[in-house]
Amino acid sequence: IDTSTPSIENDANVAKKMKELLPESLVCLVGPHVSATAHETLREYEWVDFVTIQEYDYSLRDVANSLAGGSSDDWKKIPGVAHLDGDEVKINPRQDWIQDLDTIPFVSKTYLQHLNYENYFYSITQWPVVTIISGRGCPYTCNYCMYPQTLHGHQYRTRSPENVAAEMQFVEK
């Protein structure tokens, strides 16, 4: 579940309901809030099995692969993962920054397959809207922007123009 500070209580309550409905599932919170407050999040919301720190694409992929391979606890060693071990918060070293952003599948394909876009809106735009993000990271240290500090770092990395154009064409179709 993606989180933000303004919505953390709602996000955590959604996670709690999911855990109640599927107690055998692993519940993970990702995003800027939990990346910056892993200790507090894991202690406050005991139904959360783990959180990720910074970019979580590869961490979640590796957790899924570990579980698919039949391992019950190897996911706890994956870079970028933080979890409770008894009363102690264990935070693994972070994943390396993803340098080749073209290797990440289009999120718009996931939306098409798993979501009804009519159920979502972005309050400052006309509906419907699709956001295409063409880069990650930022070399600047603006005091009002949390993303370089919490998720994507200060090294600016971009998708190729061909990759961005291909996603735009996919969305248009």
Side-chain angles (χ1 to χ4, degrees):
I1 298 173
D2 192 28
T3 66
S4 69
T5 300
S7 66
I8 189 59
E9 289 302 317
N10 181 71
D11 303 335
N13 285 330
V14 169
K16 184 176 185 180
K17 287 287 187 195
M18 290 176 66
K19 194 67 166 182
E20 290 169 357
L21 291 170
L22 300 165
E24 71 285 355
S25 66
L26 282 179
V27 173
C28 171
L29 300 181
V30 302
H33 182 84
V34 300
S35 189
T37 64
H39 286 87
E40 296 89 342
T41 299
L42 290 166
R43 292 189 189 288
E44 187 168 346
Y45 309 113
E46 67 271 3
W47 54 88
V48 173
D49 295 296
F50 69 102
V51 301
T52 59
I53 308 297
Q54 296 178 319
E55 286 186 344
Y56 49 84
D57 310 73
Y58 289 174
S59 297
L60 293 180
R61 176 202 62 195
D62 295 347
V63 167
N65 287 339
S66 174
L67 295 171
S71 170
S72 60
D73 280 337
D74 282 350
W75 65 267
K76 293 179 179 179
K77 301 172 190 162
I78 291 170
V81 167
H83 69 281
L84 271 178
D85 184 9
D87 287 337
E88 184 181 357
V89 174
K90 299 272 186 162
I91 298 180
N92 297 341
R94 70 167 184 81
Q95 286 276 3
D96 291 335
W97 300 119
I98 301 170
Q99 297 301 317
D100 185 359
L101 297 180
D102 289 357
T103 63
I104 301 171
F106 299 162
V107 72
S108 53
K109 288 184 178 180
T110 301
Y111 293 165
L112 180 64
Q113 185 177 359
H114 298 287
L115 300 174
N116 177 354
Y117 71 89
E118 294 176 351
N119 292 335
Y120 300 87
F121 71 95
Y122 189 36
S123 63
I124 62 170
T125 65
Q126 291 184 354
W127 179 89
V129 63
V130 174
T131 301
I132 296 177
I133 297 174
S134 60
R136 289 185 176 178
C138 179
Y140 305 107
T141 55
C142 304
N143 63 5
Y144 58 83
C145 183
M146 70 180 157
Y147 289 100
Q149 288 80 292
T150 61
L151 284 183
H152 301 303
H154 292 285
Q155 176 194 17
Y156 186 56
R157 298 156 286 132
T158 62
R159 294 168 58 187
S160 69
E162 295 81 10
N163 184 265
V164 174
E167 185 169 16
M168 288 179 173
Q169 290 172 334
F170 174 80
V171 169
E172 182 182 40
K173 289 178 185 170

